Amino acid sequence: MQEVDAIVIGAGFAGLRALHTLRGQGKKVLVLEASDGLGGVWYHNQYPGARCDVESYDYSYSFSPELEQEWRWSERYATQPEILRYINHVADRFDLRKDILLNARMTEARYDEQAARWMITAADGRQWSARYFVMCVGQLSTTKAPDYPGQSSFKGRVIHSAVWPRKETIDFNGKRVAIIGTGSSGMQMTPVIARLAAHLTVFQRTPNFSVPASNAPVSDEEDRQVKAHYRERRERAWNSPTGLGFAVNRQSALEVSPEEREKVYEAAWHRLGFGFALAYHDILLNAEANETAAEFIRRKIASVIDRPELRQKLVPRGHHFAARRPSVDSGYFQAFNRDNVELADIKESPIVEFTPEGIRTTAKHHAFDIVIFATGFDAFTGSLFKPAIVGRGGISLREKWADGPVTQLGVSVSDFPNMLIVVGPGSPSLLSNVMVSIEEQIDWLAALIKKMDEQGVVEFEAEPEAERAWVAHVNERARQTLYLTTDSYYNGAEVKGKPRVFMPYTGGVRGYRRHLSECAEQGYSGFALRKTPAARAAQSEAPQAA
Ligand code: NAP
């Protein structure tokens, strides 16, 4: 069995950063990646139209000023291929590949209490032992697909947006295509596939809020400007509520005149993309304030849809703006003005079954060659529950979290010493620019390991009391927002039977950062730091048998 200092699971943005940083501290690090390439979600989500909805300059690593200066983003919102090129460039630039094992799916991680080490097993039986176990598996990586009657009888092709075929180009030419799901993935691919296919039917269950991406090429002058002041831009992101590089408006949407509000929303609509939700500070705190934004967006959406009956169906209602993840689109609603694009409202006329030729709803039968499931993920916990992660006393993470995730500071779990979950439940995670959250959590872990080394500590473990306090704080912050007013993958509603617990931390990137820093400054309060593994300490204290 090979021994390493740290084993990292997943070779996406988080896994590569963990490898680079911990290796830089002199640790022997190994990354296990289940698939045959680097990039995590950006490797798998190769559907047409996939792009990031955080600006490229912010959705990138900040740890290397040289990397920041040498990489040239071509668009304000990078496409999936460009992001994948960036990831591979980083892997080469920092010589990361030599410590990454591809096609190595971790199936079990078991904590050896005597040795204070994790025993890691891969699907093919290979094993490793590591002091630190770092889960970088993403929050949106375990896919979820419907299970309609007759689904397996469909003779055409079925593709999930997040398991997009990588070694072939799907030919949509002349094809009748279905997209089921109108979250970010469905909305991004709709206008692109609409242009390629003979006919496209979009199956919508819940109309989603969306703001325009306002994407554009990055000019040389813009690139120079950003690079000349990159540190300031990063500082703004680190000290912002969401890790995006612009400030939230401290005003209430309700304290300004309707005319003033209209001006602010109009400007945000054309520039801010996802950041529209920050146009006023109380959009996610107050239903009345939220409604001013929602009403503006509904008007904007309605204005680009030609057919009145479609306007009625596509305009989002029934939930507050941004209480579920809104999209940032590039021509989604306009695509429905095309003659070859049809909307199937499955709230009104649900899907009854799949047939060999297509899909039957209560309204009619649709014939298809290709059906795309853009139906999302088992968010936050899906990928953490796939392998068997077994901590102290033989308890599995799945058992530990049977009623929902419990963490100290969103990074660590009692009974699972020396394990770090990056951008997991209880941290800003999907409510933040995830790059900012990834980097700050990994830097926090690196500092903790450094301190452990200096003090001869071999085991860190979250204290149950601190964990309870953190979960109470996460819930308290969530209750102050509108997030709890609707079903979403933030609160486990996306998977039947999943505990209904609000998972991400709504206290913002800046607030979260303060908690991480205070914890470190107070000698890692809320964590037990042990020089001898707890099991061995307990054993040596136990009365000896006569
Ligand atoms: P999603 O937001 O969870 O959307 C899934 C869609 O599928 C929803 O419209 C959902 O309807 C529908 N759906 C789920 N199960 C269904 C079923 N059985 N029958 C019919 N419809 C069903 O998933 P996603 O679009 O893949 O996006 C997930 C997240 O990934 C995004 O929120 C975002 O965080 C991230 N993402 C980011 C980008 C980007 O950076 N640009 C791009 C893509 C994705 P209901 O709403 O009624 O449940």
Side-chain angles (χ1 to χ4, degrees), residues 47 51 53 148 182-185 188 205-206 324-325 376 489:
Y47 60 80
R51 73 168 72 235
D53 52 16
Y148 288 112
T182 54
S184 298
S185 305
Q188 281 188 339
R205 193 161 69 179
T206 309
R324 347 170 76 221
R325 172 68 147 76
Y489 64 64

Side-chain angles (χ1 to χ4, degrees), residues 241-506:
T242 55
L244 303 170
F246 50 84
V248 63
N249 183 349
R250 287 273 135 227
Q251 278 184 307
S252 161
L254 302 175
E255 73 183 54
V256 296
S257 69
E259 295 74 27
E260 162 76 15
R261 216 165 37 217
E262 188 76 9
K263 257 196 257 162
V264 169
Y265 285 150
E266 189 68 32
W269 186 256
H270 294 289
R271 181 71 185 95
L272 289 192
F274 196 52
F276 188 91
L278 303 174
Y280 289 104
H281 87 90
D282 51 355
I283 286 178
L284 266 158
L285 302 178
N286 177 308
E288 208 185 324
N290 189 283
E291 187 52 26
T292 64
E295 191 273 330
F296 176 90
I297 298 173
R298 288 191 204 106
R299 252 192 293 129
K300 281 290 190 189
I301 291 174
S303 75
V304 298
I305 303 167
D306 293 345
R307 285 176 268 175
E309 72 282 6
L310 276 186
R311 231 176 270 154
Q312 209 44 33
K313 291 177 197 289
L314 284 164
V315 166
R317 286 180 210 287
H319 62 275
H320 295 302
F321 164 60
R324 347 170 76 221
R325 172 68 147 76
S327 282
V328 176
D329 74 284
S330 302
Y332 170 73
F333 297 101
Q334 292 85 338
F336 289 91
N337 296 335
R338 298 175 62 101
D339 290 338
N340 68 332
V341 178
E342 181 182 355
L343 181 75
D345 180 342
I346 54 174
K347 268 247 165 79
E348 188 181 271
S349 307
I351 293 176
V352 177
E353 60 175 355
F354 275 52
T355 68
E357 284 74 36
I359 295 176
R360 188 186 315 285
T361 68
T362 54
K364 70 179 220 189
H365 182 267
H366 303 254
F368 294 118
D369 304 299
I370 302 173
V371 171
I372 299 168
F373 290 145
T375 45
F377 304 86
D378 179 353
F380 292 101
T381 51
S383 297
L384 294 170
F385 288 165
K386 256 195 208 165
I389 300 179
V390 184
R392 185 187 297 297
I395 190 167
S396 71
L397 189 64
R398 193 180 267 276
E399 289 162 338
K400 179 89 181 177
W401 285 3
D403 297 327
V406 176
T407 68
Q408 159 61 340
L409 283 177
V411 287
S412 182
V413 187
S414 65
D415 289 327
F416 295 80
N418 293 356
M419 175 177 91
L420 192 93
I421 297 174
V422 178
V423 241
S427 75
S429 188
L430 293 175
L431 295 180
S432 66
N433 170 4
V434 87
M435 287 296 291
V436 168
S437 291
I438 283 171
E439 293 204 284
E440 75 179 357
Q441 290 187 345
I442 289 168
D443 286 339
W444 182 89
L445 174 70
L448 168 58
I449 292 177
K450 188 160 176 277
K451 180 168 171 107
M452 289 171 70
D453 287 348
E454 285 163 5
Q455 301 189 347
V457 169
V458 296
E459 192 175 74
F460 78 85
E461 182 175 359
E463 288 173 338
E465 197 46 50
E467 221 169 38
R468 276 192 287 278
W470 181 251
V471 171
H473 176 61
V474 170
N475 287 329
E476 177 53 31
R477 291 304 302 244
R479 276 195 292 274
Q480 294 164 5
T481 71
L482 296 173
Y483 285 114
L484 302 185
T485 59
T486 187
D487 285 353
S488 72
Y489 64 64
Y490 297 143
N491 57 30
E494 83 287 12
V495 174
K496 215 169 155 200
K498 201 167 165 172
R500 294 296 292 268
V501 176
F502 190 79
M503 285 175 275
Y505 178 56
T506 59

